[in-house]
């Protein structure tokens, strides 16, 4: 019934794909965090116009499927910048831009959840708004946002599989390739499910654990 | 009805010293609500001035106008001879004034020591060693030397407020603003905070205290300013305010504090 | 470079068909996933150990693996177990419903648990049975609490329908990409596809914001 031979024969190929998945997830998370922290902070403290402009970016990423963003990145990039883009890079950029919107919303929620009194106390000491945000508000907010950011990391891992449609050689894509060649769909796809589960589940639980230990650093 | 606003200088302790903080016809509105209406009084160097009155009468708002955390809609606030809301940097004013909040507002992600040193290192550009030494001395002063490495979450309310006072003192301010410092505390911890404040007053610190602790005001204040609905209705030495208030509303406010066995009918009749 | 926008206009009917199917998939999935999620939530709160464990395993599996893989799995692997090969649309629905029900079950479970025990105690103290407290006091409050999360899940679902294009369900993404391969007009078709999704999705995102504002959990 269950024939694991193709799996055992092709495991280096699939293991490499798993590494690509991990690289894709982490890189897109980094890009997403970079975009999200900037956008989220600007939206919170930058005034109405900036809030509206970046709000458009955020709401657009909420409205348009990731699939569309990825396909767009792969095809629009060469047209705009003149030269072709590697699929992995396209994947990282597309995923990062999409994720960045969600990170921005998380950051915004985190920053506004810090008590108003904290900003007042910081300014009462004579700090500028920028110093207060950097040293007092943002650190507390990041602690509070840990669970949400953790769940965004699991989203990054799951969304990396969508990159298969633009032929990024990550786990989903390579599983398709092997399954297509060997017709052992059951074994290949099930192991892929297990692999993703083993990536996501510990991340979610791990973030929970870490948060419980540092939660008091964020409660004002 | 208008109240006697000009404080007769010859009745005030420390009147020979120059006024350090002056409010002249300060007004502030929030939308349609007039939070402060032509508030005028002064605070002299070395004095302890207590602001009392019903909740929502504008006392806390006035305090935040003093260190430019809030803007004015009318009038002037003068500190050490300069207009607080003038063209200069408000941060300079805030460095010279210390503020203690009702909800302590300690920075939860920092240790107690770092809470106290962050002001001096970030704003006064003190080097770490000097800031540390200053912080430890202040912690000793408020009786919390053993809490140096802990985080605020591990401290009781009273302890947190004492750290907050040390944090404000670390900036070596000329004036301390207290916004209902004991209103969020359990009764048993109020005493430890008030005793720190009394010690501070005895050392000659100029203090403006918004409070409901009438006992503290009676014992420690040099001057009382009574607020109601955004206006100053009366001001004078504690003896006058608490024993012989000249304004009926003051009398009314002071007599209605707490519950002494009145029935609900009696209270409703009095409203 | 020349743009061939006429490709978009010529194929407007196919875009429209795709869009309609996208909406159908979204509505049908959510309609099935709300009772689905409730069922899973109650099973997870069941006093029977094995039931709890099995349900938790199911829910965690669908929440910790990519939807696109789940779609492939249901399409290629499920038939080998059940001997039935469902057509693409039904397969897509099965995959989507399992996925969204799992997310919903967490939302419902968190909503029920979030009602303070004080509310339970107050109901029981007046003399109500557990069922009455659940039905009259806890669930109505929980319903208000979960509305924002459900609204967010709805919009995610709307976007995720694009993934069933990989098993050739002819919703908007499938139609768009097919037109692209037929006419070789990449930018025009992609722009049309993105714009249609945006036109449908943006109002939904704003609606979700409204729901969040209106039903903010107030203790």
């Amino acid at each position: 019934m269950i024939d694991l031979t193709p799996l055992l024969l092709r495991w280096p190929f699939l293991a490499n794909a798993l590494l690509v998945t991990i690289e894709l997830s982490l890189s897109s998370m980094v890009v997403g965090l970079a975009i999200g922290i900037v956008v989220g902070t600007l939206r919170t403290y930058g005034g109405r116009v900036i809030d509206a402009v970046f709000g458009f970016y955020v709401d657009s990423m909420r409205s348009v499927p990731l699939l569309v963003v990825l396909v767009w990145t792969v095809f629009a990039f060469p047209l705009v910048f003149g030269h072709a883009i590697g699929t992995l890079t396209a994947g990282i950029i597309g995923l990062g831009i999409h994720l960045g919107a969600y990170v921005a919303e998380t950051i915004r929620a985190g920053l506004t959840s810090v008590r108003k009194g904290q900003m007042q106390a910081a300014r009462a000491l004579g700090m500028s708004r920028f110093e207060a945000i950097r040293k007092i508000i943002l650190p507390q907010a990041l602690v509070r946002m840990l669970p949400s950011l953790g769940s965004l990391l699991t989203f990054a891992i799951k969304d990396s599989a969508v990159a298969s449609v633009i032929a990024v050689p990550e786990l989903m894509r390579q599983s398709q390739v092997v399954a297509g060649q060997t017709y052992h769909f059951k074994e290949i796809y099930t192991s892929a499910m297990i692999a993703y589960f083993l990536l996501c589940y510990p991340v979610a639980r791990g973030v929970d654990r870490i948060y419980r230990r540092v939660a008091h650093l964020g409660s004002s | 009805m208008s109240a006697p606003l000009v404080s007769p200088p010859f009745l005030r302790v420390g009147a020979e010293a120059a006024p350090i903080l002056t409010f002249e016809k300060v007004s502030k509105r929030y939308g349609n609500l007039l939070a402060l209406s032509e508030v005028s009084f002064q605070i002299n160097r070395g004095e302890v001035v207590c602001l009392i009155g019903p909740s929502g009468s504008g006392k806390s708002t006035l305090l935040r106008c003093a260190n430019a955390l809030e803007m004015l809609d009318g009038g002037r606030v003068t500190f050490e001879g300069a207009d607080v809301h003038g063209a200069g940097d408000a941060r300079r004013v805030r460095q010279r004034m210390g503020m203690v909040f009702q909800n302590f507002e300690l920075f939860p992600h920092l240790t107690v020591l770092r809470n106290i040193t962050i002001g001096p290192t970030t704003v006064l550009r003190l080097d770490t060693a000097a800031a540390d030494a200053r912080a430890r001395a202040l912690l000793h002063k408020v009786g919390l030397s053993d809490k140096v490495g802990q985080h605020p979450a591990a401290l009781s309310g009273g302890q947190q407020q004492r750290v907050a006072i040390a944090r404000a003192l670390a900036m070596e301010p000329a004036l301390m603003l207290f916004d209902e410092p004991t209103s969020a505390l359990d009764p048993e911890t109020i005493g430890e905070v008030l005793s720190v404040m009394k010690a501070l007053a005895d050392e000659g610190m100029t203090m403006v205290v918004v409070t409901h602790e009438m006992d503290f005001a009676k014992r420690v204040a040099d001057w009382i300013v009574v607020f109601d609905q955004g206006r100053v209705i009366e001001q004078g030495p504690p003896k006058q305010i608490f024993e012989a208030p000249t304004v009926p509303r003051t009398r009314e406010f002071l007599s209605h504090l707490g519950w002494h066995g009145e029935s609900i009918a009696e209270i409703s009749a009095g409203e | 470079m020349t743009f061939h926008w006429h490709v978009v206009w010529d194929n407007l009917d196919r875009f429209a068909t795709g869009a309609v199917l996208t909406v159908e998939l979204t509505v049908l999935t959510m309609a099935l996933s709300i009772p689905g999620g409730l069922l899973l939530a109650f099973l997870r709160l069941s006093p029977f150990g094995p039931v709890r464990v099995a349900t938790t395993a199911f829910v965690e599996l669908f929440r910790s693996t990519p939807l696109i893989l789940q779609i492939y799995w249901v399409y290629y692997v499920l038939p080998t177990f059940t001997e039935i090969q469902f057509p693409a649309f039904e397969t897509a629905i099965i995959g989507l419903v399992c996925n969204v029900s799992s997310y919903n079950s967490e939302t419902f479970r968190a909503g029920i648990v979030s009602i303070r025990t004080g509310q339970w105690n107050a109901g029981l103290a007046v003399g109500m049975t557990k069922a009455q407290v659940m039905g009259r006091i806890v669930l109505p409050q929980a319903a208000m609490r979960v509305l924002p999360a459900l609204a967010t899940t709805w919009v995610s679902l709307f976007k995720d329908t694009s993934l069933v294009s990989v098993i050739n369900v002819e919703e908007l993404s499938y139609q768009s990409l097919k037109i692209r391969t037929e006419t070789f007009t990449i930018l025009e078709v992609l722009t049309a596809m993105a714009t249609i999704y945006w036109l449908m999705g943006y109002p939904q995102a704003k609606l979700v914001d409204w729901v969040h504002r209106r039903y903010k959990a107030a203790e």
Side-chain angles (χ1 to χ4, degrees):
Chain A
M1 254 254 316
I2 298 179
D3 180 13
L4 291 175
T5 33
L7 189 59
L8 296 170
L9 284 174
R10 303 300 297 277
W11 82 261
F13 183 66
L14 291 172
N16 206 42
L18 183 59
L19 285 177
V20 174
T21 290
I22 294 175
E23 185 187 342
L24 186 54
S25 312
L26 289 176
S27 307
S28 59
M29 191 69 194
V30 167
V31 173
L33 272 172
I35 296 178
I37 290 181
V38 170
V39 173
T41 313
L42 284 175
R43 282 195 78 183
T44 312
Y45 295 110
R48 282 234 188 96
V49 175
I50 293 193
D51 186 15
V53 168
F54 285 115
F56 181 79
Y57 153 67
V58 168
D59 289 331
S60 298
M61 287 299 126
R62 291 167 66 200
S63 324
V64 173
L66 175 59
L67 183 105
V68 175
V69 175
L70 283 171
V71 174
W72 239 99
T73 310
V74 148
F75 288 107
F77 189 93
L79 296 173
V80 171
F81 290 102
H83 58 87
I85 187 177
T87 52
L88 182 57
T89 317
I92 294 174
I93 294 178
L95 280 165
I97 292 179
H98 183 256
L99 200 61
Y102 288 93
V103 173
E105 282 302 277
T106 305
I107 301 279
R108 203 161 73 102
L111 287 172
T112 48
S113 79
V114 175
R115 292 162 52 93
K116 239 173 43 127
Q118 290 287 298
M119 178 60 105
Q120 285 181 348
R123 293 178 74 201
L125 287 174
M127 289 191 208
S128 68
R129 277 190 112 201
F130 182 70
E131 284 171 333
I133 294 173
R134 198 165 68 88
K135 301 202 169 194
I136 305 296
I137 310 290
L138 205 50
Q140 289 182 54
L142 282 171
V143 170
R144 286 166 170 234
M145 293 182 272
L146 224 46
S148 305
L149 290 176
S151 106
L152 284 178
L153 180 56
T154 62
F155 277 119
I157 297 172
K158 288 182 282 187
D159 283 346
S160 71
V162 182
S164 59
V165 304
I166 57 168
V168 176
E170 43 69 62
L171 186 58
M172 176 75 246
R173 174 68 163 174
Q174 307 298 59
S175 302
Q176 272 180 285
V177 167
V178 175
Q181 288 172 346
T182 64
Y183 291 93
H184 282 80
F185 299 103
K186 213 171 28 196
E187 294 84 352
I188 303 294
Y189 284 142
T190 308
S191 7
M193 289 276 267
I194 295 175
Y196 277 109
F197 183 82
L198 290 176
L199 278 180
C200 284
Y201 192 76
V203 167
R205 292 290 147 260
V207 170
D208 261 348
R209 281 272 214 77
I210 296 176
Y211 178 69
R212 244 173 282 156
R213 283 169 123 234
V214 300
H216 67 282
L217 294 177
S219 57
S220 52
Chain B
M1 65 159 280
S2 66
L5 291 171
V6 175
S7 43
F10 54 86
L11 282 180
R12 289 180 72 160
V13 173
E16 315 85 48
I20 187 174
L21 179 64
T22 320
F23 298 97
E24 290 167 73
K25 300 205 168 176
V26 169
S27 297
K28 171 138 190 91
R29 37 170 30 103
Y30 288 113
N32 285 334
L33 180 69
L34 195 58
L36 292 170
S37 172
E38 309 232 321
V39 170
S40 300
F41 67 95
Q42 73 185 47
I43 294 141
N44 298 324
R45 236 172 255 282
E47 276 191 328
V48 175
V49 177
C50 283
L51 310 185
I52 67 175
S55 295
S57 52
K59 316 187 292 289
S60 299
T61 312
L62 187 72
L63 231 51
R64 288 196 297 276
C65 289
N67 67 351
L69 285 181
E70 301 259 14
M71 295 295 113
L72 301 181
D73 291 313
R76 244 165 82 99
V77 180
T78 316
F79 177 67
E80 291 186 322
D83 186 348
V84 167
H85 296 263
D89 197 358
R91 292 171 59 194
R92 213 146 292 230
V93 167
R94 295 189 197 126
Q95 291 172 31
R96 303 277 304 144
M97 287 195 212
M99 191 167 210
V100 176
F101 299 82
Q102 180 175 345
N103 291 309
F104 336 133
E105 301 299 349
L106 289 184
F107 306 133
H109 58 298
L110 304 174
T111 60
V112 163
L113 189 73
R114 189 72 186 113
N115 257 276
I116 302 176
T117 59
I118 195 166
T121 52
T122 311
V123 180
L124 300 178
R125 312 253 175 232
L126 226 58
D127 66 274
T128 328
D132 260 21
R134 193 185 285 191
R136 283 175 199 274
L138 285 168
L139 271 177
H140 179 74
K141 190 161 153 163
V142 300
L144 290 170
S145 297
D146 56 328
K147 303 286 181 195
V148 168
Q150 305 210 337
H151 286 276
L155 273 54
S156 75
Q159 292 168 334
Q160 288 189 51
Q161 193 64 300
R162 285 188 273 154
V163 173
I165 295 175
R167 177 177 66 176
L169 290 174
M171 300 294 287
E172 297 192 336
L175 175 80
M176 285 283 278
L177 302 165
F178 290 86
D179 187 0
E180 299 205 34
T182 55
S183 295
L185 295 178
D186 292 329
E188 62 264 23
T189 51
I190 292 179
E192 60 197 55
V193 173
L194 291 179
S195 59
V196 167
M197 289 167 66
K198 167 105 172 56
L200 210 55
D202 289 342
E203 288 172 14
M205 173 63 81
T206 315
M207 296 163 56
V208 185
V209 186
V210 173
T211 186
H212 291 292
E213 294 290 326
M214 298 306 162
D215 218 29
F216 176 84
K218 243 182 267 186
R219 282 178 207 266
V220 183
D222 298 308
W223 195 254
I224 310 274
V225 181
V226 187
F227 279 75
D228 185 37
Q229 296 184 345
R231 296 186 143 73
V232 174
I233 58 172
E234 186 163 2
Q235 50 179 313
K239 211 160 159 49
Q240 173 201 323
I241 300 292
F242 289 109
E243 291 175 26
T246 57
V247 174
R249 182 77 184 99
T250 312
R251 225 170 301 158
E252 211 185 296
F253 167 66
L254 290 172
S255 64
H256 278 154
L257 300 175
W259 179 69
H260 308 285
E262 301 95 336
S263 74
I264 193 75
E266 288 169 326
I267 296 179
S268 308
E271 280 169 3
Chain C
M1 52 182 306
T2 51
F3 287 115
H4 305 281
W5 293 108
H6 68 89
V7 173
V8 174
W9 305 123
D10 293 344
N11 289 290
L12 215 49
D13 59 327
R14 289 165 73 182
F15 282 116
T17 315
V20 167
L21 197 60
T22 294
V23 173
E24 273 180 28
L25 282 164
T26 311
V27 171
L28 188 55
T29 303
M30 196 45 115
L32 293 171
S33 301
I34 290 185
L38 273 171
L39 176 65
L40 288 171
F42 279 119
L43 287 176
R44 281 194 75 170
L45 293 170
S46 145
F48 293 111
V51 169
R52 249 195 346 259
V53 171
T55 317
T56 307
F58 180 90
V59 165
E60 288 303 318
L61 186 69
F62 276 96
R63 283 176 10 125
S64 306
T65 51
L67 175 56
I68 191 172
L69 177 55
Q70 292 165 14
I71 303 274
Y72 276 120
W73 199 92
V74 172
Y75 191 69
Y76 288 108
V77 183
L78 200 56
T80 66
F81 290 126
T82 62
E83 303 296 317
I84 318 171
Q85 173 73 57
F86 291 102
F89 182 84
E90 282 75 359
T91 309
I93 292 289
I94 293 175
L96 286 168
V97 169
C98 286
N99 181 280
V100 179
S101 296
S102 299
Y103 282 101
N104 281 350
S105 82
E106 268 307 282
T107 305
F108 291 137
R109 201 175 65 93
I112 293 173
V113 164
S114 80
I115 306 299
R116 281 182 304 170
T117 45
Q119 296 285 302
W120 274 100
N121 293 338
L124 291 171
V126 176
M128 294 189 194
T129 65
K130 273 192 136 188
Q132 284 174 325
V133 175
M134 178 64 101
R136 286 166 200 243
I137 301 194
V138 177
L139 277 183
Q141 289 188 58
M144 302 272 272
R145 292 261 170 103
V146 303
L147 231 45
L150 278 181
T152 309
T153 306
W154 169 279
V155 176
S156 293
L157 169 59
F158 168 74
K159 289 170 38 174
D160 286 342
T161 55
S162 59
L163 297 177
V164 307
S165 59
V166 301
I167 55 170
N168 300 336
V169 175
E170 298 180 10
E171 44 65 69
L172 184 55
S173 297
Y174 180 84
Q175 298 280 14
S176 311
L177 296 173
K178 194 139 181 282
I179 296 171
R180 187 206 88 206
T181 43
E182 286 171 5
T183 64
F184 293 99
T185 51
I186 304 171
L187 205 59
E188 296 86 332
V189 171
L190 287 188
T191 309
M193 175 186 177
T195 310
I196 298 176
Y197 269 116
W198 190 92
L199 285 172
M200 290 199 285
Y202 200 86
Q204 291 182 59
K206 285 304 174 192
L207 203 67
V208 169
D209 284 342
W210 176 81
V211 171
H212 273 267
R213 270 197 308 269
R214 173 93 169 69
Y215 292 97
K216 226 172 9 168
E219 280 292 308

